[in-house]
Amino acid sequence: MRTKPQQREYFFDSIRAYLMLLGVPFHVSLIYSSHQWSVNSAESSLWLTVFNDFIHAFRMQVFFVISGYFSYMLYLRYAPREWWKVRVERVGIPMLSAIPLITLPQFFLLKEWAGKIHGWAQFSLYEKVNTLVWELTSHLWFLLVLVIFTTLGLLLFRHLRRAAPEDAVAPGWIVMTLAILFYSLCWCVMRRLIFTFQPALLTDGLFNFVVMQTLFYLPFFCLGALAWRNPALKARFVRFNPWTLLGSLLAFFAYMANQRYSSGEGWLYEIDAVVSMLMGLWMVNVVFAFGHRFLNAHSPRITWLVNASLFIYLVHHPLTLLYGIFITPHIANNALGFIAGLVFVFGIAFILYEIHLRIPLLRFLFSGKKARP
């Protein structure tokens, strides 16, 4: 176990917070994009579609790298069982609290006002359960995946701790790119086999979250843990490499082309997986280098955002839907509607965050942290 305290790396906290807060412009822009969502504007916007695609193409991959980094850091501070308990409480309690308080009311909102769920009375028992899994998990899916990663971490981190010494040579970008490419192709083969022989599994919410999403983001979570274990790898991530920026731009163009010219029954999802995984890897360098250069300093305002980011992410989704259902139809200009949506969602979310800080029970439910005596 490490005995020497580590200097706090503020840029990691900041990046994690900003990636989570990007969920707000992502979902607000989704209203105005050409993608079909629960709520859409009358006319789509090209630039907001591109903006939405850009956020979606890399955000969660980079987020899970940081999650793996912090998870392994905390693993070294606790006994394994205590670490698992602490991590599951911090992630699982907000997730379980948000289901009855946020996503269940959101389900009724979508059912009654958005017209998303048609023919509920005629659904079979499985169809109702599966719909509830999709809708109640909703934007909380990453918390479920983090709980799974924490459980897997009991085994993965034990082996990682016994692995090569910390001064091991870091793999180069070509090696990491080939490794992610190979992994993405394996994921694609698995998905294509499921699509061919058991296509119903791909519409099953529980299977999608527990298996497909977990396997998709697993290499990024492991990369984060390896970055803590191997300082040379972390140094490679935070040292800007212009080739990763070029690769990210090319991958993004490929991502947009695939979204527009491929079909779901063709190779849309497989191409999407390969491109997204590669872009996610390369954007780790772009985001980390930028964050290390501009965000690696203490700031009370950034600390407030870091502490507020999870709560804001949890409550932003129903606020976005409310905005889309009741306000979007009255704003003809998409750019104005997008800006108004950000003000609406962030403004109310900030107020709700400050209110919840003053109620100990809500603070515990949305953070998993017990109040200090």
Side-chain angles (χ1 to χ4, degrees), residues 303-325:
T303 300
W304 187 88
L305 281 176
V306 168
N307 293 331
S309 59
L310 176 58
F311 178 89
I312 292 171
Y313 182 83
L314 293 177
V315 303
H316 90 278
H317 202 265
L319 292 175
T320 304
L321 291 171
L322 284 170
Y323 178 82
I325 294 171

Side-chain angles (χ1 to χ4, degrees), residues 316-344:
H316 90 278
H317 202 265
L319 292 175
T320 304
L321 291 171
L322 284 170
Y323 178 82
I325 294 171
F326 297 109
I327 301 179
T328 293
H330 302 288
I331 302 178
N333 185 281
N334 285 341
L336 178 61
F338 173 68
I339 295 172
L342 293 181
V343 173
F344 177 89

